Amino acid sequence: MRAIEYQGAGGPEVLVEVDRPMPVPGPGEVLVKVAAFGLNRADVQQRRGVYPPPPGASDIPGLEVSGTIEALGEGAVGFAVGQRVCALLAGGGYAQYVTVPAGLVLEVPQVVDLVDAAGFMEVAGTVVSNLFLEAGLTAGNTVLLHGGAGGIGSMAIQLAAAAGAKVLVTASSEEKIAHCLALGAHAGINYREEDFAARALELTDGAGVDVILDVVGAKYLEANVRILATGGTLVVIGLQGGAKAELDIRALMTKRARVIGTTLRARPLGQKEEIVAAVKKHALPLLAGGKLDLSVDRRFPFTEARLAHEYFDSGNHTGKIIVKL
C-alpha cells in the first residue's frame, strides 16, 4: 500500500511516499480503507524529531483518519464492512489502510462529508477529554482558549459554547479572531497587539476565567495562573512557548486552583476508549445534527502532503488541514 514516512527529522522535505505491507486487523481491531487524514501539530512535532511515537505505535505518522471499514478482526463488534467511519490513532494514518481498535472508531453521520470527517477525532478527543473530563467545564463557566483559530481551538469554541460556557479566545490576527467569533466565541484577544491577561480580566470584570486550555506552556504560565478565577483550572496541552517556567504556588493555593498537564496520544487504550465514548456523547450528536462546523481550511491530495505541511508551518491556516487519498 502507499504510505508516507519521515526520512529523518526536519522540514516538509523529509516526507517521502513509500510502499508498505498491507496491515492485517488483529483481535478486536478493524481495518480502515483511508479516505483522508487530518494534519495535527503532533505530526509536525514528530516530523521535527521532538515527539516520537509511543512504544508499539506505527512509525507512520497520522493520528486521525476517515474512511470505510475494509475488514473486521476476530471479536471486533459494532461495525460492518463498508461502513463510513472516523478513527483516533496513535500513528499510521498517512497511508491507504490502517488498523484500529474498534473502541477508537465512530460511525460518520450521513450528513457529514467523509473526507472532512478526517479532521474530527483528534481535536474532538482533545477538547472533550480536557475541557469536560479533566476541567469539568459546565454551563455558566468562562473559558479562555489560547490559539482559538486552530483545529483544537475551532472545535473547543463550539463545544464549550454548546455547553453554555462563555468563550474567550486569543489569536494572532483580526482575521483569525473573526473566524473564532463566527464559530461562537464571545470575545477575541489579539495577543500581538494587547496584553491577553489584562484583557481577559477586563472581560470578566476582574473575576478571572474558570478554565484555560493552553497550547503555549511555559511562556504563558505566570499570566495564566494570574487570571484564573477562584477554583479555576489551567489545562496545558502544548509547549509551543517552552517547557520550563516558575510557578507561584502561593497564588495557586490562594485561588484553590489547579494546573493539569495532559497528552492524548500515549494514553492506555482503555482511557482512549473512554474518551471516544465521551466524544460520542458530547460531540457526535452536534455533528450529526449539523450544529458542528468541522472548520476545514484546505484539502490537499495525498501527492501534495509536503505542501500541506508547508501550509501548516506557515501559520496562516484557520481550523483543520486535510489530506485526501
Side-chain angles (χ1 to χ4, degrees):
M1 68 171 183
R2 296 162 65 201
I4 291 173
E5 64 181 20
Y6 298 153
Q7 295 189 350
E13 72 278 357
V14 304
L15 274 73
V16 178
E17 185 176 330
V18 295
D19 185 55
R20 288 288 190 96
M22 181 88 156
V24 177
E29 293 183 334
V30 300
L31 177 65
V32 177
K33 182 179 181 181
V34 176
F37 58 82
L39 200 167
N40 291 281
R41 184 166 296 279
D43 302 342
V44 173
Q45 295 298 83
Q46 181 177 335
R47 188 197 77 206
R48 292 171 176 165
V50 297
Y51 190 40
S58 172
D59 66 304
I60 297 172
L63 304 183
E64 58 182 351
V65 298
S66 62
T68 53
I69 300 290
E70 183 76 8
L72 302 173
E74 182 181 356
V77 296
F79 296 97
V81 172
Q83 193 170 3
R84 293 166 19 113
V85 296
C86 53
L88 179 68
L89 314 172
Y94 286 28
Q96 286 181 294
Y97 295 89
V98 64
T99 55
V100 194
L104 304 185
V105 178
L106 292 177
E107 183 176 12
V108 174
Q110 288 299 321
V111 297
V112 179
D113 181 89
L114 186 60
V115 169
D116 288 354
F120 176 68
M121 287 292 276
E122 172 69 16
V123 291
T126 298
V127 171
V128 168
S129 63
N130 289 297
L131 286 189
F132 298 103
L133 302 185
E134 296 285 356
L137 185 73
T138 59
N141 283 167
T142 298
V143 58
L144 174 63
L145 308 171
H146 288 301
I152 290 173
S154 296
M155 179 66 67
I157 290 168
Q158 297 176 83
L159 294 184
K166 180 179 180 180
V167 182
L168 312 179
V169 300
T170 63
S172 61
S173 69
E174 295 308 311
E175 291 78 13
K176 290 188 175 184
I177 288 175
H179 167 83
C180 296
L181 296 176
L183 291 176
H186 292 75
I189 304 168
N190 187 333
Y191 65 82
R192 289 182 173 172
E193 297 183 355
E194 54 186 333
D195 182 330
F196 80 81
R199 181 61 176 148
L201 288 173
E202 180 182 336
L203 289 167
T204 58
D205 296 323
V209 297
D210 300 294
V211 176
I212 301 174
L213 188 63
D214 177 45
V215 297
V216 177
K219 182 179 178 181
Y220 280 5
L221 180 62
E222 184 277 330
N224 280 335
V225 171
R226 177 159 35 96
I227 63 175
L228 278 176
T230 300
T233 302
L234 164 63
V235 186
V236 182
I237 61 170
L239 300 173
Q240 297 176 37
K244 294 183 179 180
E246 288 190 2
L247 174 64
D248 185 344
I249 299 175
R250 180 178 287 107
L252 205 63
M253 295 170 66
T254 300
K255 294 183 176 185
R256 303 187 301 280
R258 298 183 299 158
V259 177
I260 300 173
T262 73
T263 62
L264 177 58
R265 185 182 191 184
R267 287 179 184 247
L269 175 59
Q271 291 185 17
K272 286 186 176 182
E273 289 176 335
E274 291 175 358
I275 290 169
V276 170
V279 168
K280 187 175 182 179
K281 174 183 176 182
H282 288 277
L284 196 61
L286 295 173
L287 186 64
K291 298 178 180 178
L292 194 61
D293 187 340
L294 291 175
S295 302
V296 175
D297 182 311
R298 287 184 62 180
R299 303 164 187 82
F300 290 82
F302 187 78
T303 54
E304 295 181 1
R306 285 186 181 180
L307 293 180
H309 272 247
E310 289 177 4
Y311 184 52
F312 188 100
D313 287 355
S314 75
N316 293 327
H317 67 286
T318 56
K320 292 290 296 189
I321 298 170
I322 302 295
V323 178
K324 57 183 180 178
L325 279 83

